[in-house]
Each structure stands twice: as structure tokens, then as C-alpha cells.
Amino acid sequence: MSNIILTGDRPTGRLHLGHYVGSLKNRVKLQNESNYDDMFVMIADAQALTDNFDNPSKVRDNVIEVALDYLSVGIDPNKVSLFVQSEVSELTELTFYYMNLVTLSRLQRNPTVKSELSLRGFEGSIPSGFLNYPVSQTADITAFKANIIPVGDDQLPMIEQAREIVHSFNSIYGDVLVMPNAVLPKSTLECRLPGLDGKAKMSKSLGNCIFLADSEEEVRKKVFSMYTDPNHIRIEDPGSVEGNMVFTYLDVFCKPGDFEKYLPEYKSLDELKAHYKKGGLGDVVIKKFLNNILQEELRPIREKRKELENNIEYVYESLKKGTKHAREVASKTLKEVKDSMKINYFEDPSYLEEIKNKYKQQ
Ligand code: TRP
């Protein structure tokens, strides 16, 4: 069996550090391993329209922003097909046939859909397109026969729904679709990096993000505004590291060698934490340390982005090339799907034979 990787994001804003640790870093790692046959990363503009249908220019503007973010973190369009969902119309066609295999109540029970409905105030009058997006996501996955779907844990109900549809399709029409598997980030922290305010997951709508495209100064300002321990008022006061975002981020981003380079007075994160807990360590020191670490991580991404912004046609051509390949693959699958459903009247020569025989004059 071949290994096909597929994943994607809705283009509703620039990507941030949460996306970076939760998925982008891992995608770059995956693309550089050689144990897969094909890899796709999709810009899910059609899905983004299911809850932004009244704001199409937001989606349009962010298609290229997200593509820039992908390429700046190191996704290589020669290894990965980067594509735009709406340009692969086969996906919409597959969605229509899969809709027969899902009940309304099953969609309404999907936990991700449920929480998004309440977040968007859609509960009273649910747009059917929105309710149906898990079905369209099943099309995204199955069109490429993807078996490896690297996602955050919020997407587990989507993959579960896709698995049910695949099972149901294959048992009715024959074994055509491939069963997808979700692959989650290693740690829960990486799965959902909290925002700068420590309140919830980093998210654009909550305004608690560091964006990959932020300037050095913006990143510094944001790090210095991070939520630490409100009871740690004077340097001498003992401080708490739990729920302290600077330490949470250090847990995620601090690498061997960082102390030597930026804070040689300490040997390890444990030692730094112990001092903070005991008292006598100010927030400015730990924030400066985190800022240095994040700047080192983000600098090459920012520089790559600048380079790509000056060569935007390359980004556009990469998307176009990836989309072309995606269409070729998806149209093959669509053909198999339609063959198995017996809706291939003009492609299947035996159809004419069948009807000729049936209506032959006796
Ligand atoms: N729902 C995903 C998100 O909100 C984006 C997405 C669309 C996706 N289709 C997909 C992810 C298929 C993985 C596989 O981020």
C-alpha cells in the first residue's frame, strides 16, 4: 500500500506560532523523510467560505498569505503539491455523492461542528453548506487516497467522520476509497499552544498570537506583554511557573545550547524554573531569554518570506503547479468513484450494449 500524506488549512488569516509548532514544523519534517509516495498540502478556500461566504475577499487575500507562510517555513513545492481547494472541482463532485452517506443528525453531533456552530452564532439557522463541511473534508482526503492526515486534535472528529463515510462507501460500492488515519503532534502543548494571554489556544480571533510574519519589534513587544504570574510583583517574590506563559513557551521552544548562548548563568530550564519559584528572578530576564530564542527561530522564516514576497510569481506558479497535479490525481479517483457507482454512461461502452440489448426488437 502506498503512503499518501494530506493536510491543509483554511485561509482566513496569516499563520501563527500555534500553527508552526502544531503542524507546519512537522510537515517540513515529513516532506524531508523519504517514506511516502506523495504529499499534498491544501489551502482550503472552499471550506473557509462555508463560514465566510459573505466575505470572499478575506479568503481570496489569505490564499496567497498562507502560501507565503507555507513556503517561508520551508515547505518545498518540489516535494509537496501545494494546491487550492476550489480549483479542484472534482472535490465538490465527490462531496455531492458522499452526502448520501451521512445523516443530518450525525453531522449535527460532530463535536467540532457543534462547537464552531456556537462560536459563530449559527445555532438558530445553520447554513447547510457549513454543516456539510465534514463531508467536503472527506472528499479532500479521499480524492488523493490519503492514508496519513497530520492534524491537530480538534480535527479528530473530522477524520472519524471521514472514516465512517469511507467505510459506508466501500461497503455499498466496493473497495475504492482508502481509510484515512489522523496523526497528531507528539505533545498536547504542541497540539494547542496557548495564546500570549494564557487564556486559550493561540487564535487570530482572540488576538493572542505571534504571527510568523510579525517583525522583530512586534515579536519583542508581544513577548514582553505575555502573561506570567500576577502575584510575582517584586523580583524577590516567589513565582509560579505553572500557567506562566513564558515558561510554557520555554517548554516548547527552548533547545539544548540556548542557555549557553543566551543565558549562561543557568544550565537548564529546571534550574531556571527552580530559581523563579524560589524568588529572586525577574520577569524581564526570562522574557529576554524567550525573546532571543523565538527571534532565532523566526528570523530565517521572516527573511525567507521577504525573499518570496519579492518573487511572488514563484509562489503563484508553485500553487498552480501543485493544483494541476492535485487535479490529475483527484480526477482519477472521481472516475473510479463514478465507475463504482455506475454513473459513467458515456465512458462505459457496455452501457450502450446494455440498452441496445434491452430494447432490441424481438
Ligand atoms: N479543517 C481544517 C482546518 O480547519 C482544514 C482542512 C480542510 C483539512 N480539509 C482538510 C485538514 C483535509 C486535513 C485534511 O484547519
Side-chain angles (χ1 to χ4, degrees):
M1 202 189 80
S2 46
N3 279 325
I4 314 264
I5 307 171
L6 179 130
T7 183
D9 298 279
R10 295 182 194 181
T12 51
R14 291 180 162 191
L15 302 180
H16 53 62
L17 268 187
H19 295 114
Y20 182 64
V21 296
S23 62
L24 300 175
K25 239 177 143 166
N26 188 40
R27 289 181 200 172
V28 175
K29 196 168 146 269
L30 284 171
Q31 97 182 347
N32 294 328
E33 290 166 359
S34 51
N35 49 357
Y36 64 90
D37 300 282
D38 212 350
M39 178 164 170
F40 299 89
V41 174
M42 179 182 69
I43 302 184
D45 64 329
Q47 186 176 111
L49 283 167
T50 64
D51 63 335
N52 290 282
F53 52 86
D54 51 355
N55 196 357
S57 46
K58 172 175 158 191
V59 176
R60 180 182 172 88
D61 291 346
N62 280 303
V63 166
I64 201 75
E65 287 293 340
V66 169
L68 274 165
D69 283 332
Y70 284 159
L71 298 185
S72 340
V73 299
I75 289 182
D76 177 354
N78 293 315
K79 295 184 174 156
V80 171
S81 293
L82 209 59
F83 74 96
V84 183
Q85 185 186 27
S86 64
E87 292 285 337
V88 183
S89 51
E90 286 79 1
L91 299 176
T92 331
E93 214 174 323
L94 286 172
T95 303
F96 189 72
Y97 299 123
Y98 296 167
M99 279 164 71
N100 299 329
L101 308 173
V102 190
T103 65
L104 207 52
S105 64
R106 174 63 183 91
L107 289 169
Q108 281 171 315
R109 261 188 287 120
N110 182 310
T112 308
V113 172
K114 249 169 127 172
S115 69
E116 287 176 332
L117 281 175
S118 76
L119 215 67
R120 287 164 182 67
F122 277 164
E123 297 118 310
S125 57
I126 309 175
S128 64
F130 183 80
L131 191 63
N132 207 46
Y133 94 73
V135 184
S136 125
Q137 191 154 334
T138 303
D140 303 335
I141 294 169
T142 55
F144 304 96
K145 306 215 166 160
N147 58 330
I148 303 169
I149 321 296
V151 282
D153 56 359
D154 61 319
Q155 294 294 304
L156 284 177
M158 294 298 147
I159 309 300
E160 194 45 46
Q161 184 109 57
R163 290 174 63 89
E164 286 173 30
I165 294 174
V166 166
H167 179 79
S168 163
F169 186 97
N170 285 351
S171 49
I172 299 173
Y173 304 111
D175 261 334
V176 174
L177 304 180
V178 171
M179 195 56 87
N181 299 290
V183 179
L184 295 178
K186 275 186 222 75
S187 73
T188 31
L189 252 189
E190 284 174 332
C191 246
R192 40 185 73 228
L193 185 73
L196 300 170
D197 54 5
K199 282 199 188 112
K201 192 168 141 170
M202 189 174 274
S203 131
K204 194 179 64 93
S205 49
L206 298 172
N208 60 6
C209 300
I210 292 179
F211 293 101
L212 296 176
D214 278 348
S215 70
E216 183 166 346
E217 184 51 21
E218 280 166 323
V219 173
R220 197 190 63 80
K221 271 201 196 129
K222 287 179 180 178
V223 170
F224 276 80
S225 79
M226 275 171 93
Y227 181 86
T228 55
D229 172 6
N231 299 317
H232 183 246
I233 296 163
R234 292 166 311 165
I235 292 184
E236 316 81 83
D237 293 337
S240 167
V241 300
E242 271 92 55
N244 181 322
M245 286 308 107
V246 176
F247 281 104
T248 305
Y249 280 40
L250 284 174
D251 279 333
V252 177
F253 292 100
C254 188
K255 310 178 294 305
D258 283 341
F259 278 97
E260 208 182 320
K261 222 184 302 173
Y262 300 120
L263 199 58
E265 300 89 311
Y266 299 84
K267 277 191 200 58
S268 69
L269 204 46
D270 285 340
E271 202 185 300
L272 190 72
K273 284 180 181 172
H275 191 186
Y276 193 83
K277 284 197 258 190
K278 193 166 114 243
L281 174 58
D283 280 0
V284 172
V285 174
I286 57 168
K287 284 179 169 171
K288 259 194 180 149
F289 182 47
L290 176 63
N291 181 54
N292 280 323
I293 294 174
L294 288 183
Q295 297 289 0
E296 183 183 315
E297 189 96 28
L298 292 172
R299 191 172 304 117
I301 300 176
R302 194 183 299 126
E303 284 167 5
K304 184 87 198 266
R305 195 180 221 275
K306 273 272 152 312
E307 225 176 84
L308 292 160
E309 284 174 1
N310 286 324
N311 193 5
I312 203 71
E313 216 169 310
Y314 166 76
V315 182
Y316 175 86
E317 289 301 332
S318 302
L319 269 181
K320 205 168 148 191
K321 184 179 86 171
T323 303
K324 183 166 175 278
H325 175 62
R327 267 206 97 152
E328 283 159 9
V329 177
S331 75
K332 257 199 212 149
T333 306
L334 178 63
K335 183 170 180 328
E336 287 174 45
V337 161
K338 291 177 77 172
D339 282 346
S340 73
M341 294 178 74
K342 307 213 168 300
I343 44 177
N344 53 358
Y345 315 101
F346 304 125
E347 281 86 46
D348 177 9
S350 69
Y351 181 65
L352 179 60
E353 286 312 307
E354 256 173 60
I355 54 176
K356 267 180 162 170
N357 278 332
K358 184 168 172 195
Y359 297 103
K360 200 158 50 193
Q361 300 294 337
Q362 300 302 332

